[in-house]
Amino acid sequence: MQIRTDLAIEMKEVFEESRNSTSINGVEVENKEFEDCKITIVEIKTDEGSQIMNKDKGKYITIESKLMRYDDEESREKMIEYVKNELINIFGTDKHKTTLIIGLGNWNITPDALGPKTVSKTLITRHIFKSYHKDYDDDFSEVAGLSPGVMGITGIETGEIVKSLVDIIHPDRVIAIDALASRRMDRVNSTIQISTSGITPGKGVGNARMTLNKENLGVDVIAIGVPTVVDAATLTTDVLEIAIDNLIQQSNENDSFYNLLKNIKDDEKYQLIKESLDPYDKNLIVTPKDIDEEIENAAIIISEALNRTLHPGRI
Amino acid sequence: MQIRTDLAIEMKEVFEESRNSTSINGVEVENKEFEDCKITIVEIKTDEGSQIMNKDKGKYITIESKLMRYDDEESREKMIEYVKNELINIFGTDKHKTTLIIGLGNWNITPDALGPKTVSKTLITRHIFKSYHKDYDDDFSEVAGLSPGVMGITGIETGEIVKSLVDIIHPDRVIAIDALASRRMDRVNSTIQISTSGITPGKGVGNARMTLNKENLGVDVIAIGVPTVVDAATLTTDVLEIAIDNLIQQSNENDSFYNLLKNIKDDEKYQLIKESLDPYDKNLIVTPKDIDEEIENAAIIISEALNRTLHPGRI
Amino acid sequence: MQIRTDLAIEMKEVFEESRNSTSINGVEVENKEFEDCKITIVEIKTDEGSQIMNKDKGKYITIESKLMRYDDEESREKMIEYVKNELINIFGTDKHKTTLIIGLGNWNITPDALGPKTVSKTLITRHIFKSYHKDYDDDFSEVAGLSPGVMGITGIETGEIVKSLVDIIHPDRVIAIDALASRRMDRVNSTIQISTSGITPGKGVGNARMTLNKENLGVDVIAIGVPTVVDAATLTTDVLEIAIDNLIQQSNENDSFYNLLKNIKDDEKYQLIKESLDPYDKNLIVTPKDIDEEIENAAIIISEALNRTLHPGRI
Amino acid sequence: MQIRTDLAIEMKEVFEESRNSTSINGVEVENKEFEDCKITIVEIKTDEGSQIMNKDKGKYITIESKLMRYDDEESREKMIEYVKNELINIFGTDKHKTTLIIGLGNWNITPDALGPKTVSKTLITRHIFKSYHKDYDDDFSEVAGLSPGVMGITGIETGEIVKSLVDIIHPDRVIAIDALASRRMDRVNSTIQISTSGITPGKGVGNARMTLNKENLGVDVIAIGVPTVVDAATLTTDVLEIAIDNLIQQSNENDSFYNLLKNIKDDEKYQLIKESLDPYDKNLIVTPKDIDEEIENAAIIISEALNRTLHPGRI
């Protein structure tokens, strides 16, 4: 499967399109519909489901809403509350727990800067707890944070850096924020995925590294991501598919060509396009022009939802 | 013609592809080939040529080189000299002339920030000439500069702002720097176009405004641009075209479908793709991931070539 | 008088200290005290008052409040309303009036970037009025904006650029935003001065240029400024003064030295200090360490107060 | 001793001023004078010397040159070579050694951003050595890097983060880059201190933390710093001292006041000034206005000197 996406709901779509089926063994789906927001919870429960979805077992909550595209206070406030509610479902409200927040991605590349931007806006409190020798506070919980930068910046595997931090500060959980790749432009900067199954830094850019998950870090890992790009090959594949469907509808079933078209495999189409985009394919991305503002808005929403969840006493 | 490009050599390519012809009435072409650089000079001499090319009369010098993609000193130095030589061909070496440099585009949007970035790196000297009451210097010429920002930032037509500056400082020429759109990814950030026919701010983003040219400003206008994006609809059109060509080659001339494919018009394909990209089409751009660094490099090359041309005495 | 300050209330203080008097001919003062804010309105009514104060005739409204130093929503909201109320007192609520907002100062130097930052956050509407051919709207007024950059960046007098813009767009008033110098650290980033007498770009940095005022531009000019620095010579002069006062109190009236100290003139002290700071004095500034955040906060407060005053229908 | 300085040569000056002596037990000094640069090597050899100097034992190399203030290529090139030569004296040229470069300080505060800026310009190679399973290269050495951010950003002691990185990647040495405080404005941004005795993050801002040194990290630690600020209390103390010296010279030895002045202790003066600056003293800094450009220039010089020392084969 060559469609590049980090979203569980898109893996499910891809599977369903190829099988003309809407249920996957070992995968449970729950939908919540609101006036201005749609929340889909995909839970991968079995190894079979994991293999089909090409995703680790765990919960994947997708919050989709056009509210993320508007920059007024009211829309933002609504989004923050939607995200906060889902975070509380996962985190609970135990203020004794300590958290390490990791901003993944490269702050020098706008669409990859979501993680560092979000961490910089999240209230860090661990040093204050340490200064006052407190273990517990009614209004705030203990939070540390780091945006290590990608491997090209540090020369060190991000997973190794995070592991070593976990070993010295012993948090109860790690929250990792990252920019994701989507298959569809209409999900870019209007979707937030929260998952309990960990995250692999650099997976989106084709350099898979040590996964940040409970197995590797020894503590719960919650990943929060927003798709900020579609890669150019994925976009053109999807556009080509629509175009070919249109051609098929215009053609005659008795033509040999009709069958030729019918038999073009997804993989072949993708290969064809990749070749025509070569030698840039790996680094060619499609983004909205105002990506800077959209990333900023997404970082505000996620950091504020985290602040309200982790620090309930903060005004 | 719906292919979006600001490059004269691409308009020529488009024309040639559609006509299977390599000469256009009223358009003269000169090529210079170097080991690591290709320079094409397209001169549109007649109204007919102008109409066919959908470009104003004048010279369009295109410098294409992979050297722009490398960030070592040596490659950069070579590019600066190629650009400087073409600028001297246009400007001459008369140090009595005064210049107003305008950085077009929006500094908040990375791929649109080339103009402001370049102006900020160009040596501005007019205030020093004024302070010392000099009209002329052996080593430097008189240069003023402004990056007004796009109309969404100022509320004022950029052309009006430039016109009013020309009226108060009376330069001998205006140099306008802008980011351009190309049709092909392989020209992005590896091509510099210098033209003597003026430039229309915002044309690239579909909001054509008052053209900066001799007719409107009363002085020579030299435009320098680098293609920094391909719009997503243009990219997918080109990819689709290659894909359809491949399908035609695989099909049988006797099929009715073969003819269907043959008859698909470029415009229809483009329309089809635009619709499938909708509602994002206007703002969807394709860029390399490291666009920030590539823009910075292009700004260094152009500003340094300008500095060497305008201020020959500068070390 | 060598104390460097752009604040009318500080000129008044300096005068009063040197004369031991609290009233100045031709200068009227009104005070408003709030729980968390102090507003002083100094009106210079006569040429004599103008000469004594070394300031042009007009109103100088100074809003002083520690609220500016806090970055919570509530403090900010209060400050915005204080500023808005004073702006409405000056501007009235006539939505037919068109405004040109000018951001003075150099965006590359943090404490000088207040003007450009504020303009970038103010809602610009002129192009929308032009597109829809509207002269008037119930909710918004027509606003254009530009941050030209200082003379070292453009090579052109800022006053000339503003004059030429006024001539092409004919606004009813110009609002100029600038960073100011104060005499006292405790006013830095906690004071906003609004004045009706115009402003001279670069005055703060010792390069006085063409003043932006009604005489030169032909329209009302309202200047809004925040002191963001104290120059090092001014700070040390003031500290030295306090130290000498303390020494005098510890000394004996019969000592000849007591009289020596008593007779030291402000100018001598300042000269002494200037020499000891030489050769850096012109460029040495004292700022709080977190100047970046404080400037950002001041820009939010002023831009939002302007938005609410000029665009009453904006949510 | 309340004079705030991170420079060993200034601690020596302070000592000498107070003792009227130019030699300190256990401290050796070597001077190298060049046409445009002065290099002082202070070596603290004994515990007594360490106590007097209030600095750990080790070498402190101070490179002072006005060349750092100029932004032309030639001056920069000279500075890079001066720094490189001192680095080679310390590092040697063994390309088998692996290095971890740490950028200390807060990237959000301009004068504190030297460390992160320098690391971002230094060539990081460790991941490439790992990818190609190389231990050794003729042209490059293995370098990793991180700018963790200050404790207010991470909630974690910087020393703990660095220790944990050292434990996972086992470098042969740590190079820590930081912004320093000086006592004299004329050293700001024109001095580079290289020391072999480690560095304490946050010491400059009054929050001393775990020292990065061989004792704590288990590997050699080389600190490279540039004074980027003078704190306001230190500056005014020094100015006050000069002023009082001048007053003493003007006074009569028989006055009781003469003796009063003579007896004022440094501490009292400093206390006096601190009180008059209160409540801002801790955060009030004095900087040149163009601090942004000067920091950028210093980061280029240090990173390029490091690149040439660590990666001799780099063009």
Side-chain angles (χ1 to χ4, degrees), chain A residues 65-77:
Chain A
S65 173
K66 291 281 173 282
L67 292 169
M68 281 187 73
R69 290 258 174 68
Y70 307 137
D71 74 343
D72 61 298
E73 276 304 317
E74 207 185 325
S75 302
R76 196 181 280 165
E77 186 58 31

Side-chain angles (χ1 to χ4, degrees), chain B residues 224-266:
Chain B
I224 305 177
V226 171
T228 63
V229 295
V230 172
D231 85 346
T234 299
L235 179 78
T236 46
T237 306
D238 274 5
V239 171
L240 187 60
E241 196 151 332
I242 294 165
I244 288 177
D245 285 348
N246 284 332
L247 289 176
I248 288 176
Q249 281 170 25
Q250 294 173 45
S251 71
N252 186 323
E253 281 191 29
N254 298 323
D255 278 358
S256 61
F257 201 74
Y258 174 83
N259 293 304
L260 173 67
L261 283 173
K262 284 294 246 186
N263 293 328
I264 286 176
K265 296 265 183 357
D266 281 350

Side-chain angles (χ1 to χ4, degrees), chain A residues 69 205 255-257 289, chain B residues 69 205 255-257 280 289:
Chain A
R69 290 258 174 68
V205 290
D255 278 357
S256 61
F257 201 74
K289 259 197 106 174
Chain B
R69 289 257 175 70
V205 289
D255 278 358
S256 61
F257 201 74
Y280 295 96
K289 259 198 106 174

Side-chain angles (χ1 to χ4, degrees), chain C residues 52-64:
Chain C
I52 293 170
M53 294 281 284
N54 193 25
K55 293 258 167 224
D56 290 325
K57 280 186 281 188
K59 268 194 186 175
Y60 297 82
I61 300 163
T62 312
I63 305 169
E64 291 175 90

Side-chain angles (χ1 to χ4, degrees), chain C residues 170-239:
Chain C
H170 306 293
D172 294 301
R173 63 187 159 224
V174 166
I175 299 176
I177 323 284
D178 203 3
L180 307 176
S182 170
R183 172 196 181 186
R184 301 212 182 280
M185 277 314 299
D186 62 0
R187 287 211 178 90
V188 163
N189 298 331
S190 68
T191 305
I192 295 174
Q193 176 176 276
I194 305 168
S195 88
T196 61
S197 69
I199 191 164
T200 308
K203 196 177 181 185
V205 290
N207 302 308
R209 321 293 332 171
M210 171 181 152
T211 296
L212 305 182
N213 60 15
K214 185 157 196 172
E215 194 183 333
N216 289 329
L217 299 183
V219 298
D220 285 341
V221 177
I222 295 100
I224 304 177
V226 172
T228 62
V229 296
V230 172
D231 85 347
T234 299
L235 178 79
T236 46
T237 306
D238 274 4
V239 171

Side-chain angles (χ1 to χ4, degrees), chain D residues 36-49:
Chain D
D36 45 15
C37 181
K38 187 177 144 193
I39 298 179
T40 311
I41 302 172
V42 174
E43 186 163 4
I44 304 179
K45 297 194 135 182
T46 65
D47 290 338
E48 188 193 352

